[in-house]
Amino acid sequence: MSGVTEPIIHVENLHRIYHLGGEDIHAVNAVTLDVFPGQMTAIVGRSGSGKTTLLNLIAGLDDPTEGEVWVDGAHLGEMDQEARLALRRERIGFVFQTFGLLPLLTAEENVGVPLRMRGLPRPERQQRIAEALAWVGLSERARHRPYELSGGEQQRVALARALATHPKLILADEPTGQLDSQTGRRILDLLRRFVDEQHITVVIVSHDPQVMEEADVVHELRDGRLLETRLKELAG
Ligand code: ADP
Ligand code: MG
């Protein structure tokens, strides 16, 4: 029978314990969850609840103390650093609270960085950059450097940079954390359009209430443990 959707992320009994000055911090504690394609999934919880640690484990940027992660069919625990890097470059876009733009590069140069790393030829890079900047409404700001842009515009450049790689999955860590609520709303609307119109799966870790309202699925963490999972109620 067809129609059964496979998760794009599967996390199985994941633990991450940090050892710090003789103390053990159980930052992620026995977390099991699935993320399904074509959805906006939020992982929420207050500061220190383990959100960033969990996201880094999903991205293969950190190794779990125990447990397994699969991303788009790839079993991270069986992959070396190079294979994980390739997975991130080819299939995952990243968005951070602090935008992560290179300060000396213009908006279009920033969007082009991951395309250069992939070795795409210049005409294709230029086309993708133009498309992505248009998509986030920043064609007019292509030659601006980050300090010549507002916070919301900088985050839109970061979204364009992720979009230009044509990822299957975007991982966003507190993407609205440094923005006022109206600007944050605009960023969430764009992320929603990534899901609905570009068919990108979006995972956001955040403690912003707007993110909880917007997401299709909300996983709540407390002290590293998954407390509950809520599905958005369908309107109508
Ligand atoms: P969140 O993103 O939800 O704010 P984090 O995942 O950053 O939470 O942190 C979870 C817990 O792990 C916190 O208690 C934090 O202090 C601790 N922690 C995070 N990173 C490290 C690290 N590199 N070394 C030691 N402890 C850490
Ligand atoms: Mg964090």
Side-chain angles (χ1 to χ4, degrees), residues 45-57:
R46 60 183 77 139
S47 179
S49 58
K51 303 183 299 295
T52 295
T53 302
L54 178 57
L55 203 71
N56 288 343
L57 292 168

Side-chain angles (χ1 to χ4, degrees), residues 33-94:
L33 60 81
D34 287 326
V35 170
F36 289 94
Q39 295 192 322
M40 181 187 285
T41 293
I43 299 171
V44 305
R46 60 183 77 139
S47 179
S49 58
K51 303 183 299 295
T52 295
T53 302
L54 178 57
L55 203 71
N56 288 343
L57 292 168
I58 289 171
L61 292 166
D62 184 22
D63 288 304
T65 307
E66 188 187 328
E68 307 295 338
V69 180
W70 280 262
V71 176
D72 198 22
H75 187 187
L76 298 190
E78 290 176 353
M79 294 160 68
D80 61 18
Q81 296 297 341
E82 214 172 313
R84 291 187 202 179
L85 183 65
L87 176 78
R88 281 195 295 275
R89 276 189 186 165
E90 286 157 26
R91 290 183 249 177
I92 305 178
F94 289 92

Side-chain angles (χ1 to χ4, degrees), residues 8-168:
I8 189 168
I9 297 170
H10 177 62
V11 168
E12 182 77 39
N13 189 32
L14 206 63
H15 293 259
R16 178 65 168 96
I17 300 171
Y18 294 114
H19 306 285
L20 192 69
E23 200 194 341
D24 284 352
I25 299 164
H26 214 141
V28 169
N29 192 343
V31 170
T32 295
L33 60 81
D34 287 326
V35 170
F36 289 94
Q39 295 192 322
M40 181 187 285
T41 293
I43 299 171
V44 305
R46 60 183 77 139
S47 179
S49 58
K51 303 183 299 295
T52 295
T53 302
L54 178 57
L55 203 71
N56 288 343
L57 292 168
I58 289 171
L61 292 166
D62 184 22
D63 288 304
T65 307
E66 188 187 328
E68 307 295 338
V69 180
W70 280 262
V71 176
D72 198 22
H75 187 187
L76 298 190
E78 290 176 353
M79 294 160 68
D80 61 18
Q81 296 297 341
E82 214 172 313
R84 291 187 202 179
L85 183 65
L87 176 78
R88 281 195 295 275
R89 276 189 186 165
E90 286 157 26
R91 290 183 249 177
I92 305 178
F94 289 92
V95 178
F96 304 99
Q97 178 172 5
T98 51
F99 320 134
L101 302 178
L102 294 169
L104 298 179
L105 301 187
T106 63
E108 61 187 1
E109 288 165 347
N110 267 288
V111 174
V113 167
L115 306 179
R116 275 176 182 275
M117 291 199 298
R118 279 198 196 175
L120 291 182
R122 186 179 159 84
E124 185 173 354
R125 291 202 310 263
Q126 287 178 320
Q127 191 191 338
R128 286 193 185 201
I129 290 166
E131 278 171 7
L133 284 173
W135 225 82
V136 302
L138 284 180
S139 301
E140 310 295 305
R141 298 283 187 275
R143 301 281 163 83
H144 289 234
R145 291 188 167 73
Y147 68 87
E148 297 165 326
L149 297 168
S150 69
E153 287 171 338
Q154 290 181 58
Q155 193 60 301
R156 280 152 62 200
V157 174
L159 291 182
R161 181 181 54 192
L163 182 64
T165 66
H166 298 172
K168 288 186 81 166

Side-chain angles (χ1 to χ4, degrees), residues 182-207:
Q182 203 180 339
T183 309
R185 178 74 254 164
R186 177 122 199 236
I187 295 300
L188 283 178
D189 288 345
L190 275 168
L191 287 167
R192 168 54 68 189
R193 290 183 54 213
F194 283 12
V195 174
D196 290 349
E197 297 172 28
Q198 302 277 346
H199 311 293
I200 299 169
T201 304
V202 170
V203 178
I204 306 175
V205 311
S206 180
H207 61 265

